[in-house]
Amino acid sequence: MSMNEFDDKTLRERIADNPQPALAWLAGVLVLVALELGRLASGLVQVGETTRFALGGIASVPGSVEESVASSLGEIAGLVAFGLTVLVLLGIAAILVKWLLIPWTLVDRLGIEASTGVKDIIERVIVTGLLVVAAALVVLTPVGGVLEMAVSALTRGVEWVSSLPTITSRELISNEGYQLPDGSWEGTFLGLSPAVAWALRVAVVYAYALVWLAWLWRGYETFREHYREADWTPRDDSINRLRNHYWGMFGLIVVIMFLVMALWAPAVSPATAEANLYQPYEHEFEYYGDDGVESITHGEANSDSRSQGGDTNVGVMSYDNHDRFHPFGTNTDGKDLFTFLAYGAQVSLVIGLLATVLMAVIATALALITAYYKGVTDLVTIVASDSIISLPRFLLVLLLSVLFMQANHPVAEIYDGGLLLALIFAGTGWPLLWRSVRGPALQVSEQEWIDAAKSYGQSPAATMRKHMAPYIAGYMLIYASLSLGGVIIGVAALSFLGFGVQAPTPEWGRAVYEGQSYIATSSWHIATLPGILVVLLVTGFNALGDGIRDAIDPQSEASDGAAGAAGGGG
């Protein structure tokens, strides 16, 4: 069947006409999901707990506002402030609900005739009203109790699924055991040595991740071959340029290895985080001692496995006195360094992504607003951004982190300071991204289709979202990817100085700090290996950013990008 027959059909209709390729690809996805269903369910549980915590914090905001206002202006003013705060929060929630969950226009369904801008306002008012009704039902009627019971039952079901073994689980390929006097190993997978069992599990993890990537690529090829309307799009050339961009592919490989290490940290780590990092004295394991098989806590074993130079050292690819294998050796406390780095990769990933996403959202919103309205709005944003950029960024981040930590601010306690660092990096980094995309935003704001949208009566928000944002999305992707590496190395530098992520949460920079005094001893690995990983990761993100830039815009060069960024700042 030729592609021309699909010209007037939707994607759903094309799949219905030729379902076999899509079903075959979907079957492969289901198989891959089934192999790691327990781990995915565990991730859902963690996301649910985080969401519940966040919603609980948001739900407490109106009460805090009411208490604050009532203490100074009286109870009536407090109730008014409570109501207004609830409406504001529900209005924000209405925007998200409409964007994520409602694919159609309620105003059109109700047959309301109005201009585009008025329709958007009516739409948000309707969704906000529905949320008010839903909130009232949950709070004032038994519906809330029924909903709580349903959520609890669903949570128990997901927790049960999360207990199922997976192809990369530690229980399936265990590397924890002890060596008998005859040289054989007891308790490990198939009686293999802990080193071989650990290496086998890591190989399975990366093989599984590579199969996922290959299957996703197969899905794209299936879509392009069977379901895409056009035989060719500019995206095809961009992907081909990226595939032939060796520097960018190097960065992609490094980033993928880092992401797999972070996402599968429990599987690639020789020990669990609870036993080795957070609660070492509450977890025991067996080893073969002078009196046969004995039990000891990880904390006690760690005290005998410290790496502090000289003869007190457990180096790279070695065992300690209790038959525990340490691929990267141990740190000064005797904890497994690879486990520390694997879970530290999760911390770096969360902080880096959160800070970069916040920076990109702020910069994109301001670029669209300033390009659309220009004038005073643009001038005020220029002054604010230049004021922030004029200050040395690292010193500013350092000052703010010390200020909030010394004041024991509640935000500094979340994620042991990780959330605070993400917010600080976002608050100090958005001017750089804004300057980078301000020029393209101004260019698109002068196009004829923007004037046509205005004359048609389309609201400014809809015009910016539909006709301006897609134009600058590629530029934002490039500069945001280049910024991510800077955030990660900045967090590592702060942790090295003692003002970043605090113990017991692992972070690569703190490992470098703990091992700096042993760099010239037999315990050189404590600082050297984390330092190499930081440099390699930042280089990888920068290389990937360069590759994406050259793939999207083959005429771009680094000097041109810098000049464009400078020119965009006004």
Side-chain angles (χ1 to χ4, degrees):
M1 184 178 294
S2 65
M3 297 301 298
N4 292 332
E5 300 180 27
F6 294 150
D7 288 347
D8 58 347
K9 295 181 180 180
T10 64
L11 177 60
R12 181 178 299 178
E13 291 173 336
R14 298 181 210 131
I15 294 177
D17 291 341
N18 185 22
Q20 184 175 356
L23 291 177
W25 182 79
L26 181 61
V29 170
L30 294 178
V31 171
L32 291 174
V33 169
L35 292 175
E36 285 287 275
L37 186 59
R39 189 175 302 279
L40 292 174
S42 178
L44 288 177
V45 171
Q46 295 179 1
V47 171
E49 292 176 351
T50 304
T51 303
R52 175 173 291 188
F53 175 79
L55 291 177
I58 294 173
S60 65
V61 171
S64 301
V65 173
E66 178 188 14
E67 182 179 355
S68 177
V69 174
S71 62
S72 58
L73 300 178
E75 295 184 359
I76 297 179
L79 291 175
V80 172
F82 177 85
L84 292 176
T85 305
V86 169
L87 288 177
V88 170
L89 292 177
L90 289 177
I92 297 173
I95 297 175
L96 297 176
V97 169
K98 176 63 179 68
W99 180 43
L100 296 174
L101 302 178
I102 304 179
W104 59 83
T105 303
L106 295 175
V107 174
D108 292 340
R109 291 293 181 95
L110 296 175
I112 300 176
E113 297 293 337
S115 63
T116 305
V118 176
K119 283 185 178 181
D120 290 339
I121 296 175
I122 296 175
E123 187 92 6
R124 292 169 188 170
V125 171
I126 292 175
V127 178
T128 302
L130 292 175
L131 291 179
V132 170
V133 173
L137 289 175
V138 171
V139 175
L140 303 177
T141 68
V143 173
V146 174
L147 182 62
E148 182 68 23
M149 293 175 58
V151 172
S152 299
L154 180 61
T155 301
R156 288 193 297 270
V158 175
E159 288 177 347
W160 177 82
V161 174
S162 67
S163 64
L164 297 176
T166 65
I167 191 175
T168 61
S169 64
R170 305 180 58 84
E171 293 76 13
L172 182 62
I173 308 178
S174 175
N175 69 299
E176 296 180 352
Y178 52 87
Q179 191 173 27
L180 298 175
D182 61 1
S184 63
W185 290 90
E186 184 71 23
T188 60
F189 178 70
L190 299 179
L192 299 172
S193 66
V196 174
W198 170 80
L200 178 61
R201 191 170 69 235
V202 172
V204 171
V205 168
Y206 276 92
Y208 177 79
L210 289 176
V211 171
W212 253 116
L213 292 174
W215 199 246
L216 290 175
W217 175 254
R218 177 58 184 165
Y220 171 72
E221 289 184 330
T222 300
F223 164 74
R224 187 172 61 182
E225 180 180 354
H226 296 283
Y227 304 115
R228 194 171 65 181
E229 182 176 357
D231 294 327
W232 173 89
T233 66
R235 187 182 297 111
D236 294 340
D237 287 344
S238 297
I239 292 176
N240 290 333
R241 282 193 293 267
L242 180 60
R243 294 173 64 185
N244 295 321
H245 195 289
Y246 297 114
W247 180 236
M249 293 306 297
F250 163 77
L252 180 62
I253 292 172
V254 171
V255 170
I256 289 175
M257 294 183 67
F258 166 73
L259 291 177
V260 174
M261 182 181 186
L263 295 176
W264 275 273
V268 301
S269 300
T272 63
E274 290 75 15
N276 197 260
L277 301 177
Y278 298 116
Q279 300 170 333
Y281 288 96
E282 298 181 12
H283 293 79
E284 294 185 347
F285 68 97
E286 293 182 339
Y287 74 101
Y288 197 90
D290 297 334
D291 299 327
V293 179
E294 304 177 23
S295 295
I296 188 174
T297 65
H298 281 273
E300 293 174 318
N302 290 344
S303 64
D304 296 332
S305 306
R306 296 175 178 175
S307 293
Q308 297 179 347
D311 296 332
T312 308
N313 182 64
V314 177
V316 178
M317 302 297 291
S318 61
Y319 293 85
D320 60 17
N321 295 329
H322 300 88
D323 296 332
R324 298 182 302 175
F325 176 64
H326 303 282
F328 281 7
T330 62
N331 61 13
T332 56
D333 296 329
K335 299 177 180 178
D336 182 71
L337 184 59
F338 193 96
T339 302
F340 185 97
L341 296 179
Y343 282 91
Q346 288 186 337
V347 176
S348 299
L349 178 64
V350 170
I351 297 176
L353 285 180
L354 180 58
T356 304
V357 169
L358 289 176
M359 278 192 294
V361 170
I362 295 172
T364 301
L366 288 177
L368 295 175
I369 293 173
T370 55
Y372 186 90
Y373 291 104
K374 303 180 180 66
V376 177
T377 304
D378 189 37
L379 179 61
V380 171
T381 308
I382 290 175
V383 172
S385 66
D386 288 350
S387 299
I388 296 175
I389 293 176
S390 64
L391 301 173
R393 187 184 182 191
F394 185 76
L395 293 180
L396 181 60
V397 172
L398 178 61
L399 174 64
L400 292 175
S401 62
V402 172
L403 180 65
F404 279 89
M405 289 181 180
Q406 293 295 329
N408 294 321
H409 196 280
V411 177
E413 299 177 1
I414 301 176
Y415 211 39
D416 290 323
L419 178 61
L420 174 64
L421 290 180
L423 295 177
I424 292 176
F425 273 101
T428 58
W430 67 261
L432 299 174
L433 292 183
W434 174 75
R435 288 166 63 97
S436 300
V437 299
R438 176 174 175 264
L442 287 173
Q443 290 179 355
V444 71
S445 68
E446 301 295 336
Q447 299 299 319
E448 295 179 355
W449 63 80
I450 302 299
D451 295 333
K454 293 179 181 178
S455 62
Y456 178 70
Q458 193 171 63
S459 66
T463 301
M464 287 184 278
R465 184 179 69 253
K466 296 179 180 179
H467 304 299
M468 296 176 63
Y471 183 84
I472 67 172
Y475 295 94
M476 181 55 67
L477 176 63
I478 294 170
Y479 291 107
S481 62
L482 291 172
S483 300
L484 183 56
V487 173
I488 291 176
I489 198 170
V491 172
L494 286 174
S495 298
F496 176 82
L497 296 175
F499 300 108
V501 179
Q502 302 299 307
T505 300
E507 210 289 317
W508 291 1
R510 197 166 69 252
V512 177
Y513 170 76
E514 292 174 353
Q516 62 175 333
S517 58
Y518 303 101
I519 195 68
T521 69
S522 58
S523 300
W524 56 269
H525 59 275
I526 303 175
T528 303
L529 296 180
I532 293 175
L533 289 181
V534 170
V535 174
L536 183 62
L537 178 60
V538 173
T539 303
F541 273 112
N542 289 337
L544 179 59
D546 290 341
I548 295 174
R549 180 196 62 204
D550 294 341
I552 294 177
D553 184 6
Q555 302 299 325
S556 64
E557 295 181 357
S559 59
D560 294 340

